[in-house]
Amino acid sequence: MPAVAVIGAQWGDEGKGKVVDILAEHADVVVRFQGGNNAGHTLVVGDETTIVHLIPSGVLQGKPCVIGNGVVVDPWVLIEERDALRARGFLADDDQLKISDRAHLILPYHRAIDVARETMRGGAAIGTTGRGIGPTYEDKMARDGIRFADLLDEQTFPDMLRDAVERKNRYLTELLGGTAIPFDNVLDDCLRVRDALAVHVIDSSVFLDKALASGRRVLFEGGQGTMLDVDHGTYPFVTSSNTVSGAISTGAGVAPDRIGTVVGMCKAYTTRVGAGPFPTELLDEDGARLQKDGSEFGATTGRPRRCGWFDAVVVRQAARLNGLHGLAVTKLDVLTGFEKIRVCTAYELDGKRIDSFPAGRAAVERVRPVYEELPGWSEQLDRARSLDDLPKNARRYVQALEDLTGVPSFLVSVGARRRETILLRNPFAS
Ligand code: IMP
């Protein structure tokens, strides 16, 4: 299959970075199509840990990386990330990083609005990453955003920016009680950004069309997860983009029929950062244990992640919405040592059993997970390289996840390192 997508099947942080890094070895181009530097992928290569927020994780495999039009880009973060990667020998060639000319810029006022609005929400805060993601997508939809193509237009850019800064400052100071952003500083900073990034800006839809037409293998890397999708997630506790596979078409400018195999990423249990519903959340010592053994702290904000049992309702939802062909199950090793492991098979809502996630905010708060209990195992898993190397109960657990979600496993991860992986099916070959 020339095009493969890796999509989060839960609330993000499923371990996409590691899996994209592994699959990127087989790809010719790696593409991000939504989100921004709210994503954070931790990559462990050898003894070095690298966290990338904006540049596709495939960068460590030396593959050309594309930031599609659907991504919102904080150019200062991008420059910092690019330069840090360059210092380690990656992205040596300017051609290896491509940014869509239609991608929207996250500007200082977006970050200021994000933070001021969360402060204003108080107890009802969404728990955003504070990176200005939401306000930038709002401007995009309000047809008030600034794109890379605008930044490169020397004639019109200064006036466009002045107009935007004036309006946003009014909103920031008069409605949100924030501090105004000085226009001259923003303009100077933007002009420096233009000099630093202009060389990477292209029409990425045209580039990807040519790449696919010539049989090059393209890997699409999702950010966040299905339950954070602005339409299909736990609204309003979601991110502000569509995170499902359908967003590849709009966010990378690639027609739906070009997308081949879709891999859904899920942990062997569930986590979420930020506020919002989480039916299988564990507030007891089992939850604390998952958090500690799984090192469950956000790659972007360092916040502790909430932890709970595997929720098959959520992953079935992801299978339906994304058209999942296979699962990549991560962190199976973290479950080692639990005598019994629970898996949520359905919910109970007001005395009735339901199989899909309800939309209503109040209803979601009332759902109760229906659990099935499976026997645990005590053996370490990090040396397993095939399913046969796993203890019987771990194999049985993986099988249960497949049966409950209706999706076969393509990959099972048993440790943070690249080699600590059971690769059952290479999606580029299927
Ligand atoms: P925003 O994307 O910064 O607007 O944050 C909205 C919600 O999405 C918050 O609950 C964040 O914690 C969550 N979120 C955003 N990006 C990620 C991610 O990459 N992993 C997990 N949660 C995320």
Side-chain angles (χ1 to χ4, degrees):
M1 274 293 171
V4 169
V6 173
I7 304 285
Q10 295 163 324
W11 276 279
D13 306 319
E14 298 92 351
K16 291 184 284 292
K18 171 178 165 174
V19 171
V20 168
D21 185 46
I22 290 171
L23 297 182
E25 209 178 319
H26 307 275
D28 299 309
V29 184
V30 187
V31 186
R32 276 200 59 186
F33 54 91
Q34 50 71 232
N37 57 312
N38 47 351
H41 294 157
T42 309
L43 303 161
V44 182
V45 182
D47 291 328
E48 275 196 89
T49 299
T50 305
I51 299 182
V52 286
H53 297 289
L54 203 47
I55 296 179
S57 313
V59 67
L60 298 194
Q61 294 286 355
K63 301 298 160 103
C65 291
V66 177
I67 295 179
N69 58 279
V71 178
V72 288
V73 180
D74 184 324
W76 293 277
V77 171
L78 181 58
I79 291 170
E80 206 180 300
E81 212 165 274
R82 180 198 64 181
D83 293 351
L85 285 162
R86 274 184 178 164
R88 289 189 47 199
F90 300 102
L91 293 176
D93 188 345
D94 285 339
D95 234 27
Q96 285 178 297
L97 176 64
K98 297 176 194 304
I99 309 165
S100 165
D101 49 8
R102 289 166 173 81
H104 282 247
L105 291 159
I106 301 180
L107 293 164
Y109 52 78
H110 292 121
R111 287 192 298 265
I113 290 171
D114 196 357
V115 173
R117 222 164 34 195
E118 281 283 273
T119 308
M120 212 173 185
R121 282 191 185 117
I126 289 165
T128 73
T129 54
R131 305 286 155 98
I133 310 294
T136 309
Y137 277 116
E138 284 167 38
D139 277 357
K140 170 176 173 172
M141 291 313 185
R143 290 147 296 174
D144 202 16
I146 297 184
R147 312 197 291 182
F148 272 90
D150 304 317
L151 175 70
L152 297 194
D153 189 323
E154 291 181 24
Q155 295 290 315
T156 56
F157 178 71
D159 284 342
M160 182 184 280
L161 185 69
R162 183 191 311 276
D163 182 50
V165 171
E166 274 173 15
R167 275 179 297 111
K168 298 301 168 183
N169 273 344
R170 239 175 289 141
Y171 176 54
L172 244 179
T173 54
E174 290 169 24
L175 286 175
L176 298 178
T179 313
I181 306 278
F183 167 71
D184 289 342
N185 295 3
V186 183
L187 179 62
D188 289 350
D189 286 351
C190 282
L191 297 182
R192 272 196 289 274
V193 159
R194 179 169 72 199
D195 293 344
L197 295 180
V199 65
H200 303 294
V201 179
I202 59 159
D203 183 328
S204 57
S205 170
V206 171
F207 172 80
L208 290 172
D209 187 53
K210 285 190 182 139
L212 285 163
S214 61
R216 293 175 78 197
R217 285 158 303 183
V218 177
L219 180 61
F220 294 99
E221 170 179 338
Q224 293 83 46
T226 301
M227 296 308 287
L228 288 171
D229 182 282
V230 67
D231 283 279
H232 302 286
T234 43
Y235 191 88
F237 298 98
V238 292
T239 193
S240 32
S241 61
N242 284 110
T243 59
V244 294
S245 59
I248 295 171
S249 284
T250 52
V254 171
D257 63 350
R258 305 297 279 276
I259 301 156
T261 306
V262 185
V263 180
M265 296 283 322
C266 59
K267 277 181 187 153
Y269 47 97
T270 314
T271 64
R272 102 168 273 179
V273 277
F278 181 178
T280 63
E281 181 170 20
L282 289 166
L283 298 168
D284 57 9
E285 58 194 43
D286 285 341
R289 177 169 169 182
L290 287 172
Q291 191 183 74
K292 182 168 162 287
D293 292 356
S295 306
E296 295 296 354
F297 296 90
T300 298
T301 58
R303 288 180 289 180
R305 297 179 184 139
R306 300 155 65 193
C307 298
W309 297 123
F310 185 88
D311 188 338
V313 179
V314 161
V315 180
R316 276 201 301 268
Q317 180 108 341
R320 168 165 47 82
L321 291 164
N322 295 294
L324 297 184
H325 296 92
L327 289 179
V329 180
T330 60
K331 292 197 162 182
L332 186 64
D333 52 304
V334 174
L335 293 177
T336 290
F338 278 97
E339 210 177 307
K340 302 241 180 280
I341 305 170
R342 299 178 110 190
V343 177
C344 167
T345 57
Y347 298 148
E348 212 177 271
L349 176 62
D350 304 332
K352 285 203 191 82
R353 198 180 157 104
I354 56 168
D355 290 319
S356 59
F357 217 93
R361 296 180 202 191
V364 174
E365 293 300 337
R366 292 201 306 279
V367 299
R368 296 285 165 260
V370 176
Y371 284 119
E372 186 179 308
E373 204 163 70
L374 292 155
W377 59 89
S378 55
E379 298 89 336
Q380 298 301 318
L381 307 185
D382 54 330
R383 288 174 189 276
R385 298 293 174 269
S386 75
L387 287 182
D388 289 338
D389 296 337
L390 291 176
K392 185 174 98 263
N393 286 346
R395 270 202 316 271
R396 187 170 158 190
Y397 186 75
V398 172
Q399 184 65 52
L401 303 192
E402 295 186 355
D403 293 345
L404 287 166
T405 58
V407 187
S409 303
F410 279 10
L411 183 152
V412 179
S413 170
V414 288
R417 292 188 177 77
R418 242 188 227 170
R419 64 174 182 279
E420 291 166 341
T421 305
I422 301 171
L423 185 58
L424 300 165
R425 207 152 118 189
N426 176 355
F428 277 110
S430 58

